[in-house]
């Protein structure tokens, strides 16, 4: 017997493995069917237990109430225009007019009697009207005072100017204002070009 096993040990080993595999397969199949039966039984129990349990309703959350909207105040167009319009400033009262004082022409003092105390003219009289500012009336007045020549006027100093000015009546101040002395110097030298360059055409 032992010799038979030792001679065919390979076949015995194969047969053993086949037997073990068959037994394992049978065990596995039977275990699976039992598990399926248990699953069906448990499923039935769960269904029965589910019939006894009353479902709990979900809490109802109320929807948020919208905030009240204040009604818009409608302002009439006329009122809106009246409130937005700028208030025009009241016109300023006109300033009282200052009363103009009547202009009183100052009457020059009457000339002293006689003639001014100046050097007398020497030579023929010149045309004093060539001096700018000396017109016909003033020319006559100067001649009557003894003033007739350019060189006579050109030599005047401050004392002579003040002396003659007292006799000029309404023409007082014209000697200095119209530069008679400077004009007379050009005309006394017969420097017409220099005169016209400074005082204009004769």
């Amino acid at each position: 017997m032992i010799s038979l096993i030792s001679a065919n040990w390979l076949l015995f080993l194969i047969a053993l493995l086949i037997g073990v595999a068959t037994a394992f397969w049978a065990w596995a199949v039977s275990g699976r069917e039992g598990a399926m039966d248990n699953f069906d039984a448990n499923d039935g129990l769960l269904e029965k237990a589910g019939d006894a349990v009353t479902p709990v309703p979900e809490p109802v959350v109320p929807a948020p109430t919208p905030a009240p909207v204040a009604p818009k105040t409608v302002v009439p167009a006329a009122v809106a225009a009246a409130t937005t319009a700028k208030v025009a400033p009241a016109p300023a009262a006109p300033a009282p007019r200052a009363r103009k004082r009547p202009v009183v022409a100052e009457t020059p003092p009457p000339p002293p009697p006689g003639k001014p105390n100046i050097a007398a003219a020497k030579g023929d009289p010149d045309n004093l009207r060539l001096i700018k500012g000396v017109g016909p009336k003033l020319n006559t007045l100067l001649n009557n005072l003894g003033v007739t020549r350019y060189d006579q006027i050109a030599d005047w100093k401050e004392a002579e100017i003040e002396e003659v000015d007292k006799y000029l009546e309404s023409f007082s101040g014209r000697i200095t204002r119209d530069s008679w002395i400077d004009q007379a110097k050009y005309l006394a030298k017969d420097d017409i070009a220099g005169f016209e360059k400074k005082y204009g055409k004769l």
Side-chain angles (χ1 to χ4, degrees), residues 18 32 79 88 95 100 102 120 126 157 168 170:
I18 292 172
R32 183 177 180 184
V79 176
K100 294 182 179 180
D126 294 319
K157 302 296 186 287
L168 294 182
S170 61

Side-chain angles (χ1 to χ4, degrees), residues 1-180:
M1 183 71 178
I2 296 173
S3 60
L4 180 63
I5 294 172
S6 58
N8 298 304
W9 65 271
L10 183 59
L11 295 175
F12 281 108
L13 180 60
I14 294 171
L16 179 63
L17 290 176
I18 292 172
V20 172
T22 303
F24 180 76
W25 176 81
W27 175 80
V29 170
S30 62
R32 183 177 180 184
E33 291 178 353
M36 290 298 292
D37 293 340
N38 292 334
F39 176 76
D40 293 339
N42 292 335
D43 190 30
L45 291 175
L46 288 175
E47 288 180 358
K48 291 179 181 180
D51 295 338
V53 176
T54 303
V56 179
E58 295 183 1
V60 179
V61 180
T65 306
V69 179
K72 294 183 179 180
T73 306
V74 179
V75 180
V79 176
T83 54
T84 56
K86 293 183 178 179
V87 178
R97 293 184 180 180
R99 294 183 179 179
K100 294 182 179 180
R101 295 182 180 180
V103 179
V104 179
E106 295 183 3
T107 305
K115 293 182 179 181
N117 185 18
I118 57 174
K122 297 177 181 180
D124 295 334
D126 294 319
N127 184 10
L128 300 183
R129 293 185 60 184
L130 294 180
I131 297 175
K132 303 291 183 178
V134 176
K137 187 176 181 179
L138 187 52
N139 181 59
T140 302
L141 177 59
L142 290 172
N143 290 337
N144 292 337
L145 295 176
V147 181
T148 59
R149 291 183 58 85
Y150 301 136
D151 55 359
Q152 181 187 16
I153 297 174
D155 291 338
W156 284 351
K157 302 296 186 287
E158 191 66 31
E160 286 84 358
I161 293 173
E162 292 181 1
E163 179 69 18
V164 175
D165 197 64
K166 294 186 290 185
Y167 291 85
L168 294 182
E169 303 173 2
S170 61
F171 299 103
S172 177
R174 297 289 291 274
I175 299 174
T176 305
R177 186 165 63 250
D178 293 337
S179 304
W180 286 6

